[in-house]
Amino acid sequence: MNISVCIATYNGEKFIKRQLDSIIKQLKQDDEIIMVDDRSKDQTVQVVKDTYGNRIKVYVNEKNLGAIKSFEKAISLARGDILFLCDQDDIWEEVKVKTVLAAFEHQQADLVVHDAYVVDGDLNILNPSWNDYNHNNINQGIFGNILKNAYTGAFMAFKRELVSDILPFPSTIEMHDQWIALVSLLKKKKIVFIKKPLMKYVRHGGNVTGMKKRPLSVQIRGRLRTISAIMGYKR
């Protein structure tokens, strides 16, 4: 099984090399890393090109698209059998790829989700389990995941066959990871959860995704839009 790692970047020059180094050593030569940069204002793109050359396929958006559309673009460009989603500022554990691929091979998974260590910017462990830290219930079903998404994109990998089911992302959804989970649940795909933490989920205060509190009114409107999107799903 060939792998595509899909990563969206924005102003990540401080962290991107550390992340990519933790990924590349786990990949085969014919695996690919697709990076879509959302017009970073720092040297993210140059750092990647200078360090890795053609090993990373770098695409820069013509205009700012945001995280959801940047990930959509990366997924649409991917050619691997298994697609891993990836943030720019985390660190993969050395057994992540091997462990996730085993779940696809031996458990016939369509979507694999794993746990992660929660760490601060200095890599000190804040909690040994993101799912415990965030009070996630991975088995709560469609309605439960609309109310509180238990799926984090950076912990996800899925078969290429799922791409046609999830893309294009509806313009009304709150986040791409929630949509991928909801569609997988709706279409009764085989979802495998690995309890072992397979990466360091870095929370340094400047993350593009995750742990950003929004006003209740904004949360309610977002959930209503997500309900509308999943109810209107026709693929």
Side-chain angles (χ1 to χ4, degrees):
M1 293 185 289
N2 288 337
I3 293 170
S4 294
V5 178
C6 300
I7 178 168
T9 59
Y10 180 72
N11 292 347
E13 67 175 0
K14 294 180 181 179
F15 314 102
I16 190 64
K17 186 177 181 300
R18 182 180 68 184
Q19 170 66 300
L20 289 173
D21 284 347
S22 76
I23 295 170
I24 288 176
K25 62 186 177 182
Q26 301 186 49
L27 302 183
K28 305 185 304 294
Q29 190 58 43
D30 53 352
D31 294 332
E32 66 178 4
I33 300 177
I34 304 233
M35 174 182 138
V36 174
D37 186 80
D38 202 25
R39 300 187 65 81
S40 290
K41 298 176 181 177
D42 64 5
Q43 297 300 307
T44 299
V45 172
Q46 199 60 49
V47 167
V48 171
K49 288 183 176 180
D50 289 347
T51 306
Y52 305 100
N54 295 329
R55 184 66 181 90
I56 315 292
K57 299 177 181 178
V58 179
Y59 301 85
V60 179
N61 293 334
E62 294 183 1
K63 61 180 181 179
N64 291 109
L65 298 179
I68 295 176
K69 286 299 180 181
S70 292
F71 272 111
E72 179 183 281
K73 182 176 178 179
I75 292 169
S76 70
L77 291 166
R79 295 294 175 261
D81 303 305
I82 304 295
L83 280 63
F84 284 71
L85 301 187
C86 178
D87 290 345
Q88 66 185 5
D89 36 21
D90 302 320
I91 302 173
W92 287 15
E93 295 292 289
E94 292 185 356
V95 296
K96 168 164 171 158
V97 170
K98 178 181 178 180
T99 305
V100 170
L101 289 183
F104 283 107
E105 182 176 357
H106 302 304
Q107 299 185 61
Q108 290 75 53
D110 296 302
L111 171 68
V112 175
V113 188
H114 61 76
D115 205 350
Y117 300 106
V118 185
V119 303
D120 62 21
D122 296 320
L123 306 184
N124 299 306
I125 294 179
L126 303 175
N127 195 293
S129 168
W130 167 249
N131 286 300
D132 290 345
Y133 185 79
N134 201 42
H135 307 292
N136 288 336
N137 179 5
I138 209 77
N139 298 312
Q140 62 191 352
I142 292 176
F143 184 69
N145 277 294
I146 289 175
L147 289 179
K148 184 181 187 299
N149 180 35
Y151 290 78
T152 302
F155 312 163
M156 280 183 171
F158 50 87
K159 285 185 175 178
R160 179 173 177 75
E161 289 80 4
L162 192 59
V163 172
S164 60
D165 294 322
I166 62 174
L167 295 189
F169 293 140
S171 60
T172 56
I173 63 174
E174 294 194 278
M175 275 306 289
H176 59 285
D177 46 16
Q178 182 183 40
W179 178 252
I180 294 169
L182 291 175
V183 170
S184 298
L185 291 166
L186 184 68
K187 296 185 75 68
K188 301 187 185 304
K189 298 294 185 179
K190 177 70 176 294
I191 301 174
V192 171
F193 174 63
I194 299 172
K195 293 182 179 180
K196 183 176 182 177
L198 295 178
M199 57 178 277
K200 293 180 175 68
Y201 192 39
V202 183
R203 306 288 84 192
H204 50 70
N207 306 84
V208 175
T209 61
M211 297 180 73
K212 293 183 178 179
K213 293 294 184 181
R214 299 167 300 156
L216 180 60
S217 60
V218 174
Q219 294 182 45
I220 292 172
R221 287 197 297 270
R223 283 161 175 75
L224 290 174
R225 290 195 299 269
T226 299
I227 291 171
S228 177
I230 202 67
M231 288 183 65
Y233 182 83
K234 297 184 184 302
R235 276 164 279 172

